Amino acid sequence: MQNFDYLVIGSGIAGLTFALKVAQHKPHSKVCIVTKANENESNTKYAQGGIAVVLDTILDSYQKHIDDTLKAGDGLCDRNVVEIVVTEGSARLRELIDWGVRFDKNGKGDFHLGLEGGHSQNRILHHNDITGFEIEKNLLIQIHRQSNIQLFSSHLAIDLLLEKDSQTVESKCSGALILNTETGTAEVFRSSVSMLATGGVGQVYGTTTNSVIATGDGIAMANRVGAKIQGMEFIQFHPTALKHGSSSPSFLISEAVRGSGAYLVNANGERFMVNYDSRLELASRDIVSRAIYTEIKNTGSDCVYLDCRHLDKVEFENHFPNIAARLKSEGIDVSRDLIPVAPAAHYLCGGIDVDVHGQTSISGLMACGECAHTGLHGGNRLASNSLLEAVVFAHRSYLKAIEIALKPSYIHESLEWFKYASANVESEKRIAHWRKQVQNIMDENAGINRMDKTLQAAKVKIKSLEIKVEKAIETVGFSLPLIELRNLIVIATMIVDASLERNTNKGTFFKIEFDKVKILA
Amino acid sequence: MTTLIKERAKSLNTFSKTNLAEEILRLKKEKNAIILAHYYQEPAIQEIADFVGDSLGLSQQAASTDADIIVFAGVHFMAETAKIINPKKRVLLPDLNASCSLAESCPPDLFREFIDKHPGHTVITYVNCSAEIKAMSDIVCTSSNAEKVVASVPLGTPIIFAPDKNLGAYIMHKTGREMLLWDGVCIVHEAFAIDKILKLHQKYPQAQFIAHPESNPEILKIASYIGSTTGMINHVKTDSGKEFIVATEAGILYKMQQEVPEKVLIPAPAKEDNTCACSECAFMKMNTMEKLYLCLKNETPEIHVSDEIREKAIIPIERMLNLS
């Protein structure tokens, strides 16, 4: 049993920013961060693009950024939230800079503002093409300086703990059951405020840009305690993940590459975006992804290509050193060769429903970052709005969290029933196999184009796997891969159910039968 | 919603297995109940059951029993069928979530649309479907009697066959009758891998390959015997062969091996890797001794079928039972 005032689950930009702010403001409080991996492993690390902030008030304006966000969200954004996030962005950006995060500047000493799909103006601040990595690194430096923050690596949250509040008789979150994956022991971490910052769900798909730890643990845990969850059908597919070999995660070729002038061509060498959208290669991600998906189907190939041959090679390498190095290691010379790319699951627009202060529908439980649904993204996220959302909502959540009275929890859990499944080749092989099956089912049936009939079939298959996994837990006990798999199955079920329910094509969501209705009408 | 892990774990090991078996037998006698178990159930349940069989055998048993309570250790559609045949009896199912991928592949609203689009067809449905689907059918069949049922439809009358397209295609091939097939499959039987079966056969060249007709067409093409669960068991018993590669749900091998202890039975491999338990029907395995005991003790969960559906669904079932 351990007691904390604030328990933060997840160590990406959302969790670290929130923890840092709370700890700095309340130096006598005890703040705990748990992460199942190493402290620096998260989707944040892989964010290449940057952070969208309106700094240039001559060419750009809050209104333009708001309009771009609303347009991408396809009518499903919460306008109030969009306004909040866009207008509060610059203040949060300054804090990042104060914490040591460096953003690229142009020759005149001003910030270099990049352009990405769906943005009407250049407004993406970035650190080369490794912005997320730069932010994560500096936040961790700050975290380690803060003596009232304890960071536990290799600690996996299994489930949230609820207790009845003695006064209001309402259920309240009092912490979480945490598994130390190195020792195999489970322990109760009590807290007054719990913050879910567990990131994305990309690993529910076979082709994803998300880290192998992006298994939707926070959303699955929130679901099990009955928190309200929304928008799970809105999965953004990044149009251009490198299609070379079959490593997971897939390596991302940032939108900014298209922003700097790269063309998309199909297997026949034709520049095809002219047939889909007047914004060509810089149309919003759902349109580009679906166009690529269609071209792949029509040409019978497994990819399309990014053509950078007309771009200045030196400039490309300066702006995208990380991408250039990776391509080089794959034997691709951008001045001569085409870059094979295909869409990959990239970002979850929905998640755990939170209000404008980051509070979920469960008292004492907050959520922030990719696992939260704030209403900013609506049906589709605008590029580089996610790091922005994370810092703005981490700040707002922090302001709320420090207001919440810190009442010690007396929740007691006997953990006698807990059985750890120590590593066993046979069962690990089986779990890995089931995980692959979930991913195959989702790739085939809940990807860019969906259909009720196949979603229904997917639901049965997922249910069948769920039963097998529950049986496995009964017989062998709990382990990290089994708990992740269990969570992936919850996520897959939520995505499929939400997809079956939705009957209009919006944002990233696309059902074939509704498209036909539109054509016939 | 999945349960919290602690709730899940706490519900385990509440009973010891031996007491359970005794308790179940005692309650069964006390309440004049009968336990019908499908071949795919776990061995402990098969041992305690009054009757173990396939869908056809179980529905015949259900029709002839004079017990007051039928506890169906199988999946939802089977218990529903028993209830339709025995409206006055209480029919219990240990876990109401024990569904069937074939039944799930045929939702009533979509099937209604399908029938309306193809008027004038005789509608034959495989017993693996919901009561609502049966209520839309002209005659029901099982894998044991499907050929006979199809042959009973006058030549020249067009036929809709649902929900299993593999069984449907096999029966079309056997009878030479054209049928309009619903696009449903069993997720267990579609998982067998032909290349792996062929490889396995090289290792056991003497082994006969036998398969359930729910398997994919390419699998059926190489099978030396194709039949229902009961059909396969009888075949293994009566055939002079000593080794068999069996493509059906893994649970049946338990019963089969009991019948032929001297023969070698090899489960057919699934597409990816046998560690996945792909050829086990997870829904069938939802029933456990604990759930069976609790269901008999509390007389719940109980199966209910509305009169409206029941009165329509009984007709095609009776037509089938009269043919068998």
Side-chain angles (χ1 to χ4, degrees):
Chain A
M1 184 91 65
Q2 304 225 30
N3 293 300
F4 301 98
D5 298 306
Y6 302 94
L7 170 64
V8 180
I9 304 172
S11 64
I13 184 173
L16 294 184
T17 306
F18 172 82
L20 184 58
K21 285 184 172 239
V22 167
Q24 284 180 342
H25 185 89
K26 291 207 164 189
H28 300 297
S29 67
K30 280 181 79 184
V31 180
C32 161
I33 303 171
V34 295
T35 170
K36 62 180 175 178
N38 296 324
E39 58 187 26
N40 67 353
E41 182 64 19
S42 74
N43 273 353
T44 299
K45 187 168 121 184
Y46 298 96
Q48 294 177 341
I51 177 163
V53 180
V54 176
L55 289 183
D56 170 358
T57 48
I58 299 166
L59 287 173
D60 202 1
S61 67
Y62 287 153
Q63 197 53 50
K64 284 183 185 168
H65 189 184
I66 290 167
D67 289 344
D68 292 345
T69 303
L70 292 173
K71 188 170 180 190
D74 206 2
L76 295 176
C77 300
D78 181 331
R79 179 178 272 274
N80 178 38
V81 170
V82 175
E83 286 171 1
I84 285 173
V85 172
V86 167
T87 55
E88 293 180 7
S90 50
R92 300 291 81 77
L93 178 77
R94 260 171 228 120
E95 288 165 353
L96 286 176
I97 294 167
D98 288 345
W99 287 329
V101 179
R102 292 162 303 153
F103 293 101
D104 291 357
K105 294 187 174 168
N106 60 22
K108 287 187 289 180
D110 298 326
F111 285 117
H112 177 269
L113 301 177
L115 182 64
E116 290 185 2
H119 288 275
S120 57
Q121 294 294 329
N122 286 50
R123 62 168 79 97
I124 318 298
L125 283 101
H126 59 96
H127 179 93
N128 295 326
D129 51 356
I130 50 166
T131 311
F133 184 78
E134 168 73 9
I135 294 174
E136 184 77 19
K137 185 181 81 186
N138 285 288
L139 278 171
L140 282 169
I141 293 172
Q142 297 297 327
I143 292 281
H144 289 305
R145 282 187 190 153
Q146 198 66 38
S147 60
N148 56 335
I149 297 179
Q150 268 182 282
L151 199 153
F152 295 84
S153 295
S154 306
H155 278 63
L156 166 70
I158 300 177
D159 265 325
L160 297 166
L161 301 172
L162 293 189
E163 87 184 310
K164 289 249 188 290
D165 188 295
S166 50
Q167 281 143 29
T168 60
V169 204
E170 169 193 24
S171 272
K172 151 180 197 317
C173 180
S174 297
L177 177 62
I178 308 287
L179 172 68
N180 178 338
T181 56
E182 273 169 12
T183 62
T185 48
E187 197 176 354
V188 169
F189 280 30
R190 286 170 172 168
S191 68
S192 293
V193 176
S194 301
M195 166 58 86
L196 292 171
T198 53
V201 303
Q203 284 294 321
V204 80
Y205 292 94
T207 307
T208 177
T209 61
N210 288 188
S211 145
V212 288
I213 69 169
T215 54
D217 302 332
I219 300 171
M221 285 191 288
N223 176 263
R224 286 195 284 268
V225 293
K228 197 176 160 207
I229 290 164
Q230 260 203 76
M232 294 300 287
E233 67 273 40
F234 295 110
I235 308 285
Q236 184 178 75
F237 288 81
H238 195 289
T240 53
L242 182 63
K243 186 79 184 173
H244 211 245
S246 60
S247 59
S248 181
S250 306
F251 184 76
L252 190 62
I253 310 292
S254 167
E255 194 120 16
V257 171
R258 275 173 284 134
S260 70
Y263 301 144
L264 277 167
V265 297
N266 65 18
N268 303 329
E270 300 148 355
R271 196 176 166 193
F272 56 84
M273 280 310 297
V274 285
N275 305 325
Y276 296 90
D277 197 284
S278 60
R279 290 169 293 179
L280 304 177
E281 279 84 358
L282 291 180
S284 59
R285 286 181 176 172
D286 55 320
I287 293 171
V288 179
S289 290
R290 202 141 41 240
I292 294 176
Y293 182 87
T294 309
E295 292 296 319
I296 286 175
K297 286 241 147 162
N298 291 349
T299 58
S301 167
D302 65 346
C303 65
V304 296
Y305 300 91
L306 271 173
D307 187 351
C308 301
R309 294 175 299 184
H310 56 292
L311 303 180
D312 186 289
K313 191 181 177 186
V314 177
E315 209 170 280
F316 184 92
E317 284 174 352
N318 283 340
H319 194 171
F320 309 110
N322 182 41
I323 294 173
R326 173 63 181 257
L327 291 174
K328 208 169 189 178
S329 77
E330 303 267 352
I332 297 168
D333 175 354
V334 293
S335 64
R336 273 200 348 245
D337 305 322
L338 296 172
I339 309 168
V341 292
H346 186 53
Y347 192 85
L348 170 67
C349 301
I352 307 156
D353 216 31
V354 293
D355 64 12
V356 292
H357 309 292
Q359 296 188 109
T360 71
S361 60
I362 307 261
S363 168
L365 182 64
M366 308 184 96
C368 187
E370 188 170 348
C371 71
H373 172 264
T374 64
L376 173 70
H377 308 309
N380 194 6
R381 176 189 68 120
L382 187 65
S384 287
N385 260 359
S386 45
L387 294 178
L388 174 68
E389 182 198 43
V391 285
V392 168
F393 267 83
H395 179 77
R396 299 187 130 254
S397 303
Y398 134 75
L399 290 176
K400 189 70 198 176
I402 57 171
E403 272 178 21
I404 297 172
L406 299 177
K407 279 193 284 185
S409 153
Y410 297 103
I411 194 162
H412 188 77
E413 283 289 323
S414 147
L415 295 178
E416 273 166 24
W417 53 267
F418 189 85
K419 183 168 126 197
Y420 184 69
S422 42
N424 157 324
V425 178
E426 177 73 9
S427 73
E428 265 168 30
K429 211 171 136 194
R430 174 179 294 211
I431 294 163
H433 181 88
W434 283 336
R435 179 163 167 155
K436 191 88 210 94
Q437 276 189 318
V438 174
Q439 294 173 337
N440 288 343
I441 294 168
M442 294 301 282
D443 281 351
E444 279 170 29
N445 306 298
I448 291 173
N449 286 353
R450 303 178 196 172
M451 258 170 83
D452 274 336
K453 192 168 185 308
T454 51
L455 284 166
Q456 202 69 47
K459 191 179 158 90
V460 179
K461 289 183 182 175
I462 295 163
K463 181 78 200 163
S464 158
L465 280 171
E466 182 189 329
I467 299 163
K468 288 179 184 176
V469 168
E470 295 290 331
K471 285 240 164 184
I473 290 177
E474 278 179 27
T475 46
V476 301
F478 306 98
S479 65
L480 171 77
L482 204 44
I483 290 166
E484 283 189 334
L485 176 60
R486 190 174 191 253
N487 290 337
L488 282 173
I489 286 172
V490 174
I491 300 296
T493 306
M494 280 194 271
I495 293 172
V496 168
D497 284 347
S499 302
L500 280 166
E501 236 161 74
R502 175 158 295 278
N503 47 25
T504 46
N505 287 343
K506 283 272 177 196
T508 64
F509 184 79
F510 189 82
K511 249 192 223 173
I512 292 163
E513 48 263 57
F514 295 124
D515 193 45
K516 279 185 191 138
V517 171
K518 229 170 28 189
I519 291 166
L520 290 174
Chain B
M1 199 195 296
T2 52
T3 51
L4 295 177
I5 281 182
K6 61 169 181 179
E7 282 161 21
R8 179 92 207 149
K10 280 176 182 168
S11 71
L12 306 176
N13 303 321
T14 333
F15 314 98
S16 82
K17 302 260 177 210
T18 47
N19 288 346
L20 275 178
E22 274 170 31
E23 278 301 292
I24 291 169
L25 290 172
R26 186 182 63 76
L27 285 168
K28 194 167 68 106
K29 208 167 169 190
E30 189 183 301
K31 301 192 176 198
N32 187 28
I34 181 173
I35 299 176
L36 303 181
H38 193 269
Y39 283 131
Y40 297 177
Q41 294 295 297
E42 64 173 63
I45 294 180
Q46 290 198 27
E47 265 166 38
I48 208 164
D50 295 282
F51 186 82
V52 180
D54 62 5
S55 318
L56 178 65
L58 292 173
S59 45
Q60 284 165 335
Q61 284 294 321
S64 67
T65 183
D66 51 11
D68 298 318
I69 295 177
I70 299 171
V71 184
F72 218 111
V75 294
H76 196 270
F77 79 84
M78 298 178 178
E80 238 179 15
T81 309
K83 181 68 183 177
I84 293 165
I85 299 170
N86 297 284
K88 299 262 177 321
K89 295 193 167 105
R90 305 191 66 180
V91 176
L92 309 177
L93 182 67
D95 191 328
L96 282 184
N97 292 319
S99 65
C100 161
S101 56
L102 266 171
E104 298 275 336
S105 74
C106 194
D109 49 340
L110 294 183
F111 193 55
R112 170 48 62 200
E113 247 174 60
F114 186 71
I115 294 179
D116 290 348
K117 242 190 239 166
H118 304 98
H121 285 63
T122 291
V123 179
I124 301 180
T125 52
Y126 186 34
V127 69
N128 297 43
C129 64
S130 67
E132 270 181 278
I133 298 294
K134 291 191 177 81
M136 296 179 212
S137 313
D138 295 304
I139 184 160
V140 168
C141 73
T142 71
S143 51
S144 305
N145 60 24
E147 240 182 287
K148 210 194 249 178
V149 168
V150 169
S152 76
V153 179
L155 279 174
T157 308
I159 298 174
I160 286 175
F161 189 91
D164 188 333
K165 68 172 178 190
N166 289 334
L167 175 64
Y170 171 67
I171 300 296
M172 267 169 58
H173 169 75
K174 289 287 281 186
T175 59
R177 291 285 290 269
E178 257 317 296
M179 299 194 291
L180 202 52
L181 304 180
W182 179 259
D183 185 13
V185 287
C186 161
I187 60 173
V188 173
H189 286 99
E190 75 162 351
F192 292 112
I194 184 142
D195 49 332
K196 291 194 177 173
I197 294 171
L198 291 172
K199 233 184 213 156
L200 191 65
H201 196 258
Q202 285 172 355
K203 227 172 114 187
Y204 299 92
Q206 300 304 318
Q208 256 189 49
F209 175 58
I210 66 173
H212 192 278
E214 283 174 24
S215 309
N216 288 342
E218 77 268 16
I219 301 284
L220 297 181
K221 225 172 226 171
I222 58 163
S224 57
Y225 174 83
I226 298 165
S228 66
T229 308
T230 306
M232 280 193 278
I233 293 175
N234 287 337
H235 177 76
V236 171
K237 262 163 65 178
T238 53
D239 194 88
S240 58
K242 298 278 175 269
E243 290 177 348
F244 298 87
I245 298 170
V246 186
T248 191
E249 210 275 345
I252 172 190
L253 286 159
Y254 168 78
K255 178 79 182 172
M256 226 181 228
Q257 195 71 72
Q258 276 186 331
E259 301 274 347
V260 288
E262 75 288 359
K263 296 192 179 180
V264 178
L265 303 177
I266 309 149
K271 270 173 199 148
E272 291 164 67
D273 190 325
N274 267 358
T275 56
C276 68
C278 289
S279 48
E280 277 176 29
C281 174
F283 299 110
M284 282 283 187
K285 303 293 185 289
M286 286 181 89
N287 294 324
T288 59
M289 287 290 276
E290 284 86 357
K291 286 185 199 165
L292 184 61
Y293 163 73
L294 289 172
C295 142
L296 193 52
K297 182 178 154 219
N298 304 327
E299 299 184 25
T300 182
E302 186 174 353
I303 297 287
H304 299 281
V305 179
S306 76
D307 287 346
E308 193 198 338
I309 298 280
R310 197 195 74 81
E311 280 159 20
K312 286 187 195 149
I314 186 75
I315 301 165
I317 295 173
E318 275 176 350
R319 279 191 192 132
M320 170 190 77
L321 291 174
N322 291 339
L323 270 179
S324 309

